[in-house]
């Protein structure tokens, strides 16, 4: 039985759209007629069709993190309660308000009803479910612990979403504050200052150096401000295109690791994602080499990703995971020590989870500290710039008052 997306006319001639299940398109049309609907168009739900329908949407046929988190949590809860998998997928599709999730859930259910495993059915929608998700589900089915694995996946997806939301919220206010500060300064320099300066044009007097410099900056921005914006936009486009090349991207990512705070954040975030992914996969029964291969896909920094690939080669040759990762000197020492402890005690999956939690907490703390320092510093800089502008305007007025006296 497959899922079909249909468009039909009701008894009043109004067009209705929705999803329906049937063995063939013909049986789906027959079900619509039995409901009093006249079929216009009916198409089987598939990853290819989702991609074609979502050409202009982000990520093609993918579902976003919030939808994936809710889908995973609902499915884990229903499966743990003993509900059959096909009924659980039906319930998820009915409860979801997202049309994309409805299509995907019914498409997966159709694969399950046809006799495929859940992992095989998920593989039909690779853009909706990341490799980590599909590999973990496959391991859970093979080990007979699907409900437990789905629970861990739900916790992982929810934790990752919560981390992203915390970082976004922490950076939102500073970003708005920066935009407002730059806008105010630009408005003062390009609109307010020129009008005030006109008052001094009729006076044959030497202006203070601060005022002269402010006028020069104001004239430059008025004459070449548009050119600067065009150059900045052009530079951003060129940089984005160059980042598509592996060699240039590798140099940029390697340079990021050398910047004190940025490098620490990059190492912490990528290490946290990798160890969390590795812990879930290895704890689910996925072989360590396969888990490392899948884990590299969540690492965005190229030198760190290549270091993991080199470590996988050493592990394949019989080397310890901790020593193999430590050889690159790109991973935090505490993570390496925790992994070594897990290897020696036989609790590697547990130590990987501890390492991930440690790095995630460190990243959260570092981001909060940076934003806490950035806001007052920006306010002080903004106040200093405004003070200079005010002084540059008031100094000639003070000089005029002295001349009058």
């Amino acid at each position: 039985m497959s899922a079909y997306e249909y468009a039909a006319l009701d008894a009043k001639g109004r067009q209705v759209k929705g999803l329906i299940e049937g063995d063939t398109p013909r049986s789906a049309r027959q079900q619509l007629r039995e409901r009093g609907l006249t079929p216009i168009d009916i198409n089987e739900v598939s990853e290819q069709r989702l991609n074609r329908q979502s050409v202009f949407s982000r990520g093609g046929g993918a579902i976003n993190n919030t939808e994936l988190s809710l889908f995973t949590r609902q499915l884990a809860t229903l499966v743990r309660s003993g509900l059959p998998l096909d009924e659980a997928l039906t319930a998820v599709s009915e409860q979801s308000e997202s049309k994309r999730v409805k299509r995907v859930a019914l498409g997966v259910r159709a694969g399950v009803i046809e006799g495929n495993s859940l992992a095989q059915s998920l593989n039909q929608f690779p853009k909706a479910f990341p490799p980590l998700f599909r590999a973990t589900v496959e391991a859970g089915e093979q080990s007979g612990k699907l409900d437990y694995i789905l629970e861990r996946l739900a916790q992982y997806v929810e934790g990752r979403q919560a981390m992203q939301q915390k970082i976004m919220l922490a950076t939102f206010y500073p970003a708005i504050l920066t935009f407002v500060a730059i806008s105010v300064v630009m408005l003062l320099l390009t609109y307010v200052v020129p009008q005030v300066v006109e008052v001094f044009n009729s006076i044959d007097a030497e202006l203070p150096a601060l005022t002269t410099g402010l006028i020069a900056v104001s004239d430059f921005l008025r004459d070449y401000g548009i050119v600067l914006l065009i150059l900045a936009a052009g530079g951003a486009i060129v940089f984005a295109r160059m980042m598509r090349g592996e060699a240039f991207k590798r140099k940029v990512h390697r340079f990021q690791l050398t910047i004190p705070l940025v490098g620490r954040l990059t190492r912490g975030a990528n290490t946290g994602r990798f160890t969390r992914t590795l812990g879930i996969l290895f704890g689910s029964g996925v072989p360590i080499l396969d888990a490392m291969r899948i884990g590299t896909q969540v690492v965005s920094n190229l030198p760190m990703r290549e270091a993991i690939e080199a470590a996988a080669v050493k592990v394949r040759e019989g080397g310890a995971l901790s020593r193999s990762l430590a050889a690159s000197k790109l991973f935090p020492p505490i993570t390496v020590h925790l992994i070594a402890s897990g290897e020696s005690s036989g609790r590697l999956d547990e130590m990987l989870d501890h390492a991930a939690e440690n790095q995630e907490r460190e990243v959260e703390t570092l981001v909060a500290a940076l934003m806490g320092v950035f806001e007052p510093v920006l306010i002080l800089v903004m106040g200093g710039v405004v003070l200079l502008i005010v002084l540059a305007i008031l100094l000639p007025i003070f000089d005029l008052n002295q001349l009058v006296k």
Side-chain angles (χ1 to χ4, degrees):
M1 185 176 292
S2 301
Y4 295 92
E5 194 171 14
Y6 68 85
L9 296 177
D10 61 12
K12 297 182 179 179
R14 293 176 299 188
Q15 185 173 354
V16 293
K17 296 181 179 180
L19 294 166
I20 193 172
E21 291 183 301
D23 295 325
T24 62
R26 182 175 181 179
S27 65
R29 290 191 182 92
Q30 182 61 35
Q31 291 182 55
L32 292 175
R33 293 189 183 95
E34 291 174 356
R35 297 182 186 180
L37 300 175
T38 303
I40 300 176
D41 185 28
I42 186 165
N43 294 282
E44 184 177 359
V45 174
S46 65
E47 175 75 9
Q48 291 75 18
R49 178 166 176 78
L50 284 175
N51 290 339
R52 288 197 300 268
Q53 288 180 338
S54 307
V55 172
F56 299 104
S57 65
R58 181 174 60 86
I63 58 180
N64 59 42
N65 289 334
T66 302
E67 293 169 341
L68 180 61
S69 174
L70 185 59
F71 173 90
T72 310
R73 172 56 65 188
Q74 289 176 338
L75 185 61
T77 302
L78 293 171
V79 171
R80 182 174 283 274
S81 67
L83 199 66
L85 190 56
D86 59 329
E87 295 182 19
L89 288 166
T90 300
V92 170
S93 68
E94 291 174 351
Q95 293 174 12
S96 177
E97 297 179 356
S98 170
K99 291 183 178 180
R100 290 180 297 183
V101 175
K102 287 180 180 292
R103 296 188 189 105
V104 170
L106 288 178
V108 173
R109 179 181 182 274
V112 171
I113 292 178
E114 290 173 358
N116 297 322
S117 65
L118 178 59
Q120 291 172 333
S121 303
L122 294 176
N123 286 335
Q124 299 175 6
F125 301 90
K127 290 190 176 182
F129 303 102
L132 162 67
F133 196 101
R134 290 178 274 132
T136 307
V137 168
E138 183 177 3
E141 288 183 307
Q142 292 176 355
S143 63
K145 300 178 180 178
L146 182 60
D147 55 345
Y148 169 74
I149 294 303
L150 286 173
E151 195 74 26
R152 288 202 66 182
L153 271 176
Q155 293 172 0
Y156 169 77
V157 175
E158 289 168 353
R160 186 170 178 179
Q161 182 191 11
M163 168 73 78
Q164 292 175 345
Q165 288 178 342
K166 286 180 181 178
I167 294 177
M168 287 181 61
L169 289 174
T171 57
F172 179 75
Y173 176 70
I176 295 296
L177 189 62
T178 302
F179 175 77
V180 172
I182 295 175
S183 300
V184 169
V185 172
M186 295 296 292
L187 179 64
L188 288 173
L189 290 176
T190 58
Y191 181 75
V192 177
V193 171
Q195 291 192 352
V196 175
V197 168
E198 290 181 0
V199 177
F200 307 127
N201 289 337
S202 59
I203 302 174
D204 189 12
E206 184 178 354
L207 296 175
L210 184 60
T211 305
T212 305
L214 182 66
I215 293 173
V217 172
S218 177
D219 291 340
F220 178 81
L221 290 175
R222 293 182 68 188
D223 295 337
Y224 301 104
I226 301 298
V227 177
L228 289 176
L229 286 175
I230 295 174
L231 289 175
I237 294 173
V238 171
F239 180 78
R241 289 184 177 275
M242 292 181 67
M243 284 293 286
R244 297 177 183 176
E246 288 288 322
F248 181 78
K249 188 176 182 179
R250 185 180 295 104
K251 291 180 180 179
V252 173
H253 286 182
R254 193 174 297 278
F255 176 71
Q256 286 179 349
L257 295 175
T258 62
I259 303 174
L261 291 177
V262 175
R264 188 176 172 186
L265 274 174
T266 302
R267 284 191 182 91
N270 283 279
T271 301
R273 288 197 297 268
F274 173 69
T275 50
R276 178 69 71 187
T277 301
L278 195 63
I280 291 176
L281 290 170
F282 184 72
S284 304
V286 178
I288 186 64
L289 291 175
D290 292 338
M292 293 180 71
R293 175 181 54 81
I294 297 172
T296 57
Q297 300 183 32
V298 302
V299 178
S300 59
N301 186 271
L302 280 183
M304 295 186 70
R305 184 186 302 174
E306 292 167 354
I308 296 172
E309 293 171 351
V313 174
K314 295 180 181 179
V315 171
R316 185 182 296 111
E317 295 172 352
L321 175 60
S322 57
R323 290 197 300 270
S324 302
L325 291 175
S328 65
K329 297 182 179 180
L330 293 179
F331 298 90
I334 188 172
T335 297
V336 175
H337 289 311
L338 286 171
I339 292 175
S341 175
E343 288 178 310
S344 60
S345 64
R347 298 159 57 192
L348 180 57
D349 55 339
E350 184 179 339
M351 290 298 106
L352 285 169
D353 287 340
H354 287 324
E357 292 172 3
N358 178 74
Q359 290 304 313
E360 289 166 358
R361 283 197 302 267
E362 184 176 343
V363 169
E364 287 182 24
T365 303
L366 189 57
V367 169
L370 286 175
M371 294 302 102
V373 173
F374 176 77
E375 293 174 15
V377 169
L378 180 62
I379 292 174
L380 288 175
V381 172
M382 177 64 180
V385 172
V386 173
L387 177 62
L388 287 176
I389 294 174
V390 172
L391 286 176
I393 294 174
L394 292 180
L395 285 177
I397 297 176
F398 293 155
D399 292 342
L400 287 176
N401 290 336
Q402 292 178 358
L403 291 174
V404 170
K405 291 179 180 179

